[in-house]
Amino acid sequence: MNKQSLQKSAGSGLVFGIIVIFLALIGFTVVFSGLIQKVLGQSLGVGQIPSISNFFIFLGFLGIWNGWRASRQDKHETLTLAKVLMRAAVAGLSAGVLVMLYGFVVGGLDARGTDMRKYLSMLSSDSIKFFLFNQSLVLGGLIHVGFSTLMALVGGLLAFGSERSQQQVRTNRTKIQKWSQSTWLGKVQGNPYVTYVLMGIVLLLLVLLPRTWGAYWNYVMGTVGIYVLLGLGLNIIVGLSGQLVLGYVAFFAIGAYTFALTTSPEPHNLVWNFWIALAVSVVAAALSGILIGLPILRLRGDYLAIVTLGFGEIIRILLKSDILKDFTMGPRGVRNIAGPTLFGRSFTSDVDFMYLIILAVLLSIFLAKRWQESSIGRAWLAISQDETVAQATGVDTQKYKLLALSLGAAFAGLGGALFASRNQFTGPEDHALMVSINVLVLVIVGGMGSIPGVVLGAFTLKGLPEILRELESYRLLVFGALLVVMMIIRPEGLWPARRPKLEVPVGQDNEPVPLPATAGGEK
Amino acid sequence: MMLEVENLNVHYGAIHALKGVTFHLQEGEIVALIGANGAGKSTTLNTISRLNKPTAGDIRYRGASIVETPPQDIVTKGIVQVPEGRRIFPKMSVVENLEMGAYIFSDRQRIEADIEMVFGKFPRLRERRKQLGGTLSGGEQQMLAIARGLMARPQLLLLDEPSMGLAPIIVEQIFDIIREINQQGTSILLVEQNAQMALSIADRGYVFETGKIVLEGDAGDLLEDPMVKEAYLGGG
Ligand SMILES: Nc1ncnc2c1ncn2[C@@H]1O[C@H](COP(=O)(O)OP(=O)(O)OP(=O)(O)O)[C@@H](O)[C@H]1O
Ligand SMILES: [Mg+2]
C-alpha cells in the first residue's frame, strides 16, 4: 500500500474531524439530530435535546461521506477492495481520534464545572453530554472512534461498489439501452399514454390535496404557486431572452397595487369585479414592462442588472413615501382587497383560493411552454446566446426583448394581483428587493430556461423553508448551505432545460474523423 | 449596380473608424477588402448590415438607400453577413443554428430543402447535425457560420475573415466553397487578412488603411502591386 495515498486519506479524515468539531461548536450537531428526529416523525419540544439514535444517524452520514471521499482519490485509477478499505479505515480512524480528543477537552472542562456557554453559547452541559452519547468521557470518545471508522468503511465499500457498477454501466450501456428498449420499461418510456396517466395522477392530486391538507399547507403551497408564476415570468426574461433584470419585483408590485386600488373601498372606492381587476392588473404590469424596457433596451449584462435593480427599489420607496400617500395609502398599505367571485358567489376560502392559484399556474405553464417552443422562443434563445448575430440573422432583437419583458411582467402582474387578493392586503414591504432575489434564485436553482425547473425551484425555495421552519434561527443558514450544496451537485439547476447535449454520431461514422479528411465540398 | 458605398463615415465615440469610404460591387462579383488590423474592414461590413450606424455617407443597394433600414430588413432584402470570429449559437445544435439562419422564412419545406442544400456543400456538418455549436471544432464552426448565412438565401453575402485561425487545407476548402457559392449567383463582399487567398478568388479588391481606401483595382493587378506585395503578401 503506498504511503502517500494513506497520508492523503488521513488528511481527508482530519478535515472531516474538524468539520464535526466545528458543527459541534456551533451547536449544529444537536440541531441536525433534532431535524432528523422530526423528519422521522417523532416529536421534539423546543429546546429539548434529541435522542441519541438520531445523533448516530447524523454521524453516520458524515462518516460514510468521509470514507467515500477518502477512498476515491484519483479518477483514473482502478480501485481494489483492499485499497479502498485501507483508505477508508485510515480516514475514519483519524477523524474519530480527532473528535475523541475534542470530546475529552470539552467533556473534561464540563466535568470540572466550567460553563462553556460563556464562550460559545451553544455549548451547554446537556449538549456536551449529548455529544458523548451520554456516556463517560472515555467510553464516549471510544464510541466516536469506533463508529467513525465503521461508517468510513461502509462509505469505502459504497464507493467501491458504485465505481464497479459504473464501470459495468459504461461497458454495458449500449447493451442496456437495447435491452431496455425491447422490454416493458422501454415501451413505457416515450409512450404518450404513460404521460397522460401521470398527468392524470398529478391533476387528481391537485384536486384532492387542497381539500385535505388543511389551511396551513394551502397557504404555503399557495405562496409556492404564486412564486411559480413569478418564476415563469422571470424565466422568460432572464432564462430565455437572457436579460438580467433584477428589479422584477416592480412588476409584482404594479400587479398587486393595480388590483388593490381597483378593488378596495379605500382609498379610491373603486370596487371592480374581481376578474376585470385581475385582467387590468395583468395588462398594467405588461405595459409597465414595455415602459421600463424602452429606455434600457441598449443596456446589456451588468448595466442592465444594476439599472433594473434600481427600478424595483424606486417603486417600493415611492409606495412608501408621502408623495403618493393619497393615491396608494403610503406605508400603511391597502386593506380590504376583494377576493374572487364567480356568478355572484364569492369563494374566498383557502381551498377555493388554492384552486384559483392552481388554475393560474396551469394556464401560465401552458402559455409559457407554447411561447418557448414557438419561433418567439427561438428568437429569445438566439438573442440570449449572441445578440449581434441574432440581429444579423434577421431577428428584430428590440421587439423580442420588449416582448420578453412585457410577457414576463404580465406573469408577475398576475402573481401580484392574486397575492394581494389572497392576503386582502398589500403594502410596500410586500415588494422588497428580497422578492426579486428569491425569484431569481429559484430560476437559477431550478435551471435557467426550464419550466419544470421553475416549478421545482419554487418548491425548493418557498416550500422547503417551511419544512425547515423547525430549525428556527438556523433556518436561513441551513437553507443557504442547501442551496450551495445543490449548485455544486447540480450546477445547471435541479431540472436543467433540455438542450441537446454533445451527441456523438452513432452508427458507422462513430469514430471521430480528423477534420481535413472529410471536411469541405469534396466527397 | 448591386452595392454602392459612398463617402461612408463611422465614429465610435471619439474614434473616427471610417473616414469617407467609397466603393462599389457589381452584380455577380467577388470583391475583396483587405488591410491591416483595425483598418476598418469589419466596421464597413457591420455598417452595411446596419449593426452600426454611419455618421455620414450613403449605402445604396440596387439603387435604393439602405442606411435607414433596420438590420432585420436588410436580411430580408438579401444582404446577409457572416460575422467575424465564427460566431455561431453555441448552445444550439447544428441544425438549430441553420434553422436560425432561415429565421426570416417560414416555409418549413423550403427550409428543410435548404438545410439539405447546405449539407451538400458541407458534408461535415451533416455528420454533426445534432452536436451543439459550441462543441464544434474551429473549422466546423466557420463552416457552420457560412452555412447559416446561406440559409437566408443571400443575394449579397458579406464574409468577414472566413479563414481566420484555420489550417491551410481548410482555408482552401472554404475558399472553394465561396467560389462555388459565387458561381451559383451570389455576389460576395469578402474581408480578409489572407490577401493572397482573397485576391486569388476575387474579381476586384480595395486596400484599407486606417479608415480609408488607399488602393483599388482588379484582383490580378493588386496581386502584382509592389505596395500590396510588400505590406500584405509577405515581402516582394
Ligand atoms: N465597438 C467599437 N467601439 C469602439 N471602437 C471600435 C469598435 N469597433 C471597432 N472599433 C475601432 O474601429 C477601428 C476599426 O475596427 P475594425 O473592426 O473595423 O477593423 P478591421 O479592419 O476589421 O480589423 P481586423 O482585421 O483586426 O478585424 C479600430 O480602431 C477599432 O478599435
Ligand atoms: Mg475585422
Side-chain angles (χ1 to χ4, degrees):
Chain A
M1 189 69 33
N2 107 26
K3 199 172 141 204
Q4 209 181 2
S5 101
L6 287 187
Q7 271 175 359
K8 242 175 159 177
S9 308
S12 106
L14 289 180
V15 170
F16 263 82
I18 293 173
I19 292 176
V20 172
I21 294 172
F22 175 71
L23 291 177
L25 286 174
I26 60 175
F28 262 41
T29 42
V30 176
V31 171
F32 272 121
S33 307
L35 187 66
I36 292 171
Q37 179 155 344
K38 296 227 165 160
V39 168
L40 294 181
Q42 298 141 9
S43 64
L44 181 71
V46 178
Q48 219 178 323
I49 295 281
S51 78
I52 297 294
S53 56
N54 297 308
F55 185 39
F56 273 116
I57 297 179
F58 170 68
L59 282 177
F61 276 121
L62 278 176
I64 288 174
W65 190 11
N66 180 16
W68 173 289
R69 285 257 341 229
S71 48
R72 317 180 109 208
Q73 290 179 350
D74 185 356
K75 267 187 195 160
H76 305 294
E77 72 182 339
T78 32
L79 292 179
T80 63
L81 195 57
K83 253 195 223 172
V84 164
L85 290 182
M86 272 303 276
R87 288 175 185 171
V90 168
L93 210 61
S94 44
V97 169
L98 192 66
V99 171
M100 175 178 73
L101 293 177
Y102 162 81
F104 286 168
V105 174
V106 286
L109 286 172
D110 185 54
R112 279 208 289 159
T114 319
D115 188 4
M116 303 283 288
R117 270 185 295 188
K118 270 189 271 179
Y119 314 105
L120 281 161
S121 58
M122 302 322 293
L123 277 190
S124 67
S125 187
D126 278 348
S127 83
I128 291 172
K129 294 212 172 69
F130 173 78
F131 189 78
L132 292 170
F133 312 104
N134 292 337
Q135 304 293 334
S136 73
L137 256 189
V138 177
L139 187 55
L142 287 180
I143 293 178
H144 265 297
V145 176
F147 193 65
S148 161
T149 314
L150 188 68
M151 284 299 128
L153 286 175
V154 172
L157 282 177
L158 284 178
F160 182 67
S162 96
E163 165 91 9
R164 269 300 145 90
S165 60
Q166 268 177 22
Q167 278 171 1
Q168 285 284 315
V169 168
R170 238 172 272 139
T171 49
N172 287 352
R173 181 162 290 164
T174 42
K175 256 191 228 164
I176 289 173
Q177 268 173 2
K178 281 199 185 117
W179 170 80
S180 77
Q181 272 158 13
S182 66
T183 57
W184 180 82
L185 198 76
K187 287 193 184 108
V188 165
Q189 280 173 347
N191 181 333
Y193 290 107
V194 175
T195 322
Y196 293 147
V197 169
L198 282 179
M199 274 165 70
I201 293 174
V202 171
L203 273 181
L204 201 67
L205 282 180
L206 288 180
V207 171
L208 290 181
L209 280 180
R211 300 197 160 277
T212 49
W213 65 13
Y216 174 69
W217 282 105
N218 273 333
Y219 182 80
V220 171
M221 286 301 151
T223 310
V224 169
I226 287 170
Y227 270 82
V228 171
L229 294 176
L230 296 178
L232 287 171
L234 192 67
N235 185 45
I236 290 178
I237 301 176
V238 179
L240 298 183
S241 83
Q243 306 176 80
L244 187 51
V245 168
L246 286 189
Y248 189 59
V249 68
F251 308 129
F252 182 67
I254 285 167
Y257 266 86
T258 308
F259 187 85
L261 297 177
T262 50
T263 60
S264 164
E266 250 191 318
H268 301 302
N269 199 19
L270 287 174
V271 190
W272 289 4
N273 171 286
F274 174 87
W275 302 101
I276 294 177
L278 192 66
V280 169
S281 309
V282 172
V283 172
L287 286 180
S288 73
I290 294 179
L291 272 181
I292 289 182
L294 277 175
I296 61 172
L297 270 185
R298 301 212 157 269
L299 302 177
R300 292 182 190 183
D302 315 350
Y303 293 109
L304 182 65
I306 291 165
V307 170
T308 52
L309 183 68
F311 277 117
E313 279 299 276
I314 288 172
I315 295 236
R316 185 180 66 90
I317 291 168
L318 269 182
L319 289 173
K320 218 175 164 174
S321 71
D322 286 337
I323 313 171
L324 289 178
K325 198 166 180 201
D326 296 335
F327 190 68
T328 64
M329 308 287 289
R332 265 190 58 211
V334 186
R335 287 153 211 271
N336 300 320
I337 299 171
T341 52
L342 196 59
F343 307 122
R345 186 177 88 88
S346 91
F347 56 117
T348 45
S349 78
D350 59 303
V351 178
D352 292 337
F353 227 102
M354 192 66 224
Y355 283 141
L356 180 64
I357 290 176
I358 289 174
L359 270 183
V361 166
L362 290 180
L363 180 74
S364 303
I365 288 179
F366 172 76
L367 287 176
K369 197 164 150 59
R370 288 206 48 161
W371 291 329
Q372 184 167 354
E373 285 164 3
S374 70
S375 72
I376 304 175
R378 251 324 142 70
W380 285 334
L381 209 61
I383 292 172
S384 72
Q385 288 178 34
D386 193 327
E387 195 171 335
T388 313
V389 179
Q391 211 168 21
T393 55
V395 176
D396 187 343
T397 52
Q398 311 264 319
K399 181 175 107 186
Y400 284 107
K401 281 165 81 176
L402 272 184
L403 190 66
L405 271 174
S406 72
L407 291 179
F411 282 118
L414 178 62
L418 290 177
F419 182 76
S421 172
R422 186 183 65 159
N423 295 357
Q424 299 175 10
F425 165 83
T426 194
E429 293 315 317
D430 285 347
H431 309 289
L433 178 61
M434 232 11 232
V435 177
S436 303
I437 294 177
N438 269 328
V439 181
L440 187 65
V441 171
L442 86 82
V443 170
I444 294 172
V445 166
M448 286 266 218
S450 151
I451 292 175
V454 165
V455 178
L456 222 59
F459 272 102
T460 313
L461 216 77
K462 282 287 146 186
L464 200 57
E466 290 307 318
I467 299 169
L468 291 181
R469 196 167 277 285
E470 309 297 348
L471 293 181
E472 290 140 40
S473 45
Y474 289 116
R475 193 163 69 116
L476 286 179
L477 191 58
V478 172
F479 182 59
L482 269 180
L483 287 185
V484 170
V485 169
M486 236 179 307
M487 291 325 278
I488 292 173
I489 299 176
R490 299 195 63 88
E492 287 186 63
L494 293 175
W495 190 317
R498 227 185 69 212
R499 308 285 317 143
K501 286 269 133 67
L502 177 131
E503 186 177 298
V504 183
V506 254
Q508 63 267 63
D509 331 330
N510 212 343
E511 286 304 304
V513 197
L515 185 56
T518 53
E522 336 136 332
K523 210 184 178 175
Chain B
M1 195 75 71
M2 188 165 217
L3 182 77
E4 294 161 275
V5 173
E6 202 180 303
N7 187 32
L8 198 63
N9 278 272
V10 174
H11 289 80
Y12 295 111
I15 300 171
H16 197 173
L18 289 189
K19 305 162 185 163
V21 165
T22 301
F23 67 93
H24 67 272
L25 180 147
Q26 308 266 9
E27 201 92 36
E29 269 188 320
I30 299 184
V31 168
L33 308 183
I34 58 177
N37 292 118
K41 308 177 299 291
S42 299
T43 303
T44 307
L45 292 198
N46 289 342
T47 314
I48 294 171
S49 51
R50 278 293 273 106
L51 303 177
N52 277 336
K53 246 186 152 151
T55 35
D58 197 14
I59 303 170
R60 281 186 300 279
Y61 178 64
R62 295 193 163 135
S65 172
I66 53 168
V67 272
E68 293 299 330
T69 314
Q72 63 272 16
D73 295 348
I74 300 267
V75 180
T76 337
K77 281 180 192 292
I79 304 180
V80 175
Q81 183 177 3
V82 178
E84 190 174 5
R86 310 170 201 155
R87 285 169 71 170
I88 38 90
F89 296 111
K91 289 183 191 158
M92 291 188 193
S93 70
V94 167
V95 171
E96 288 172 322
N97 262 282
L98 295 177
E99 286 171 349
M100 264 324 287
Y103 188 80
I104 52 171
F105 301 129
S106 50
D107 180 348
R108 244 351 277 181
Q109 266 180 337
R110 211 174 89 166
I111 295 175
E112 302 279 337
D114 283 354
I115 290 182
E116 277 310 305
M117 183 272 292
V118 299
F119 278 162
K121 285 194 174 27
F122 301 97
R124 183 80 195 177
L125 293 181
R126 192 202 303 273
E127 290 167 23
R128 308 258 142 195
R129 54 189 303 150
K130 290 202 174 141
Q131 194 171 322
L132 289 189
T135 65
L136 294 173
S137 81
E140 291 163 345
Q141 289 183 348
Q142 186 61 57
M143 291 177 199
L144 179 57
I146 297 176
R148 188 188 56 207
L150 294 180
M151 289 298 297
R153 297 201 166 185
Q155 286 151 40
L156 172 57
L157 189 60
L158 315 178
L159 287 174
D160 199 344
E161 303 209 22
S163 78
M164 191 181 6
L166 300 184
I169 183 154
I170 312 229
V171 174
E172 299 256 2
Q173 287 164 358
I174 285 191
F175 274 83
D176 283 344
I177 293 171
I178 294 173
R179 199 181 279 133
E180 184 188 319
I181 295 167
N182 176 248
Q183 277 156 7
Q184 289 166 356
T186 305
S187 312
I188 290 171
L189 188 57
L190 174 65
V191 164
E192 257 303 334
Q193 286 288 336
N194 189 337
Q196 173 80 52
M197 264 303 203
L199 291 173
S200 71
I201 67 163
D203 299 300
R204 295 183 303 110
Y206 295 87
V207 179
F208 277 65
E209 221 165 75
T210 56
K212 286 195 201 107
I213 290 178
V214 291
L215 200 63
E216 59 178 277
D218 285 342
D221 298 342
L222 287 180
L223 269 174
E224 295 304 316
D225 187 279
M227 182 204 125
V228 174
K229 270 188 170 167
E230 168 101 33
Y232 306 108
L233 302 179

